């Protein structure tokens, strides 16, 4: 809704490049390569790419959202995509002259950049129509928001008009290079980097869980059974092992 209000209020005075994202600085639905930091994303963003392509999903990670996410004809509710089962009817209301697509997909989530030219490809009255639909639809607030965003992963209805594709899943390593100036050399090198990155994250989570479990067992040890003491002894040295693996990946 905030995005629509901004477009409507500033339609005649838009910037060459317009960035839309949630208010929080750090979030899982920001670019993982750029420390999930909205400030770094905005600072590194290539205005030249946005103006050339006219639209850019700023998160660009395929998971979740690509290459196949929403199926508007699906009638059974999916707990992870609760809006999917009502999307077909909502789509027909929002875009009465467009066929309902079989699949909608793009990288999650809210952050994207778009040129003023692409925004103005739609007349102002169309954005007002979208806003009125959001205000007047009988769908619950939670569902209407997710229908409009399609959870960000399916290509929000509004962004479909910005990139003109029902499936918009550009190569991640190309987006990072052209969009943020981060060069990996090849798709294989990109994949290798993120395989290592995700393995490090998994080990760090395991280490944090180990520390919490050990602290809990240490408190329980006082006056407790021999079994608890044995369980604690089994954990000795596990932190050093995990830290060694983490440091090995960082090296």
């Amino acid at each position: 809704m905030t995005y629509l209000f901004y477009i409507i209020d500033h339609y005649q005075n838009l910037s060459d490049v317009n960035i839309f994202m949630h208010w929080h600085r750090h979030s899982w639905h920001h670019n993982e390569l750029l420390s999930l930091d909205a400030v770094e994303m905005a600072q590194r963003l290539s205005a030249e790419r946005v103006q050339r392509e006219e639209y850019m999903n700023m998160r660009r990670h395929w998971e979740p959202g690509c290459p196949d996410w929403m199926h508007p004809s699906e009638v059974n509710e999916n707990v992870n995509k609760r809006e999917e089962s009502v999307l077909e009817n909502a789509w027909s209301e929002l875009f009465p002259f467009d066929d309902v697509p079989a699949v909608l997909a793009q990288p999650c989530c809210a952050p994207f950049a778009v040129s003023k030219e692409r925004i103005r490809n739609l007349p102002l009255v169309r954005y007002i129509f979208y806003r009125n639909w959001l205000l007047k639809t009988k769908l619950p607030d939670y569902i209407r928001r997710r229908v409009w965003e399609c959870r960000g992963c399916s290509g929000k209805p509004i962004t479909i008009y910005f990139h003109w594709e029902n499936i918009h899943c550009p190569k991640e390593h190309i987006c990072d290079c052209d969009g943020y100036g981060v060069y990996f050399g090849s798709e294989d090198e990109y994949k290798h980097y993120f395989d290592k990155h995700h393995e490090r994250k998994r080990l760090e989570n395991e280490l944090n869980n180990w520390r919490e479990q050990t602290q809990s067992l240490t408190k329980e040890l006082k006056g407790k059974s021999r079994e608890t003491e044995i369980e604690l002894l089994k954990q000795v040295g596990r932190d050093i092992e995990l830290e060694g693996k983490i440091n090995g990946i960082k090296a």
Side-chain angles (χ1 to χ4, degrees):
M1 179 71 79
T2 303
Y3 292 6
L4 282 173
F5 270 103
Y6 178 86
I7 290 173
I8 292 167
D9 291 345
H10 298 85
Y11 188 84
Q12 303 299 340
N13 191 33
L14 291 163
S15 301
D16 292 338
V17 172
N18 302 271
I19 296 175
F20 296 87
M21 58 177 57
H22 289 321
W23 62 269
H24 33 257
R25 177 170 178 175
H26 295 95
S27 171
W28 71 268
H29 52 72
H30 289 160
N31 191 309
E32 194 170 358
L33 184 65
L34 302 180
S35 306
L36 303 176
D37 187 343
V39 172
E40 188 170 357
M41 289 166 63
Q43 288 175 338
R44 295 188 68 116
L45 179 68
S46 168
E48 189 277 331
R49 175 185 170 90
V50 178
Q51 291 178 292
R52 170 171 32 92
E53 300 291 329
E54 296 191 317
Y55 169 84
M56 177 177 165
N57 180 299
M58 293 178 64
R59 181 173 177 270
R60 101 280 169 282
H61 297 295
W62 275 28
E63 178 63 34
C66 282
D68 182 331
W69 186 249
M70 286 286 177
H71 303 87
S73 61
E74 180 60 56
V75 295
N76 297 316
E77 184 176 300
N78 182 323
V79 294
N80 294 317
K81 300 181 286 186
R82 290 180 56 195
E83 68 277 23
E84 185 176 51
S85 60
V86 302
L87 189 54
E88 184 172 25
N89 288 336
W91 184 278
S92 297
E93 293 175 3
L94 286 163
F95 314 117
F97 303 109
D98 296 345
D99 293 334
V100 179
V103 178
L104 289 169
Q106 80 156 321
C108 175
C109 298
F112 66 91
V114 62
S115 69
K116 67 180 178 183
E117 289 80 12
R118 183 57 62 92
I119 292 176
R120 289 177 181 165
N121 279 336
L122 283 182
L124 176 59
V125 66
R126 194 66 181 167
Y127 295 108
I128 295 173
F129 168 77
Y130 294 148
R131 182 180 65 182
N132 289 342
W133 181 89
L134 277 169
L135 292 171
K136 295 178 180 179
T137 179
K138 297 185 183 302
L139 292 171
D141 287 347
Y142 175 75
I143 297 297
R144 80 177 71 184
R145 173 180 62 81
R146 288 175 64 102
V147 162
W148 181 249
E149 292 185 351
C150 297
R151 198 176 172 237
C153 307
S154 65
K156 305 175 190 68
I158 190 172
T159 65
I160 284 175
Y161 276 105
F162 292 158
H163 56 64
W164 293 340
E165 298 174 304
N166 295 332
I167 299 175
H168 183 72
C169 297
K171 293 290 188 179
E172 296 159 295
H173 70 292
I174 293 176
C175 289
D176 280 328
C177 179
D178 192 30
Y180 292 113
V182 182
Y183 180 63
F184 281 94
S186 70
E187 189 171 4
D188 287 341
E189 291 180 50
Y190 170 87
K191 183 178 183 303
H192 177 75
Y193 171 86
F194 269 98
D195 285 345
K196 292 293 186 181
H197 174 76
H198 292 145
E199 175 64 10
R200 177 172 63 84
K201 286 294 192 181
R202 185 190 68 79
L203 291 169
E204 288 173 344
N205 289 335
E206 184 177 345
L207 178 59
N208 290 333
N209 290 336
W210 178 90
R211 286 170 174 160
E212 292 176 3
Q213 183 181 19
T214 302
Q215 289 176 355
S216 177
L217 286 170
T218 301
K219 292 178 182 178
E220 294 178 8
L221 188 58
K222 297 179 180 179
K224 297 295 182 180
S225 65
R226 176 66 175 168
E227 287 77 10
T228 303
E229 183 178 355
I230 293 172
E231 184 62 31
L232 182 60
L233 290 172
K234 288 180 181 178
Q235 304 296 327
V236 172
R238 180 60 175 161
D239 56 336
I240 297 174
E241 177 186 356
L242 291 170
E243 287 171 353
K245 291 181 178 179
I246 293 169
N247 290 333
I249 292 174
K250 289 180 177 179

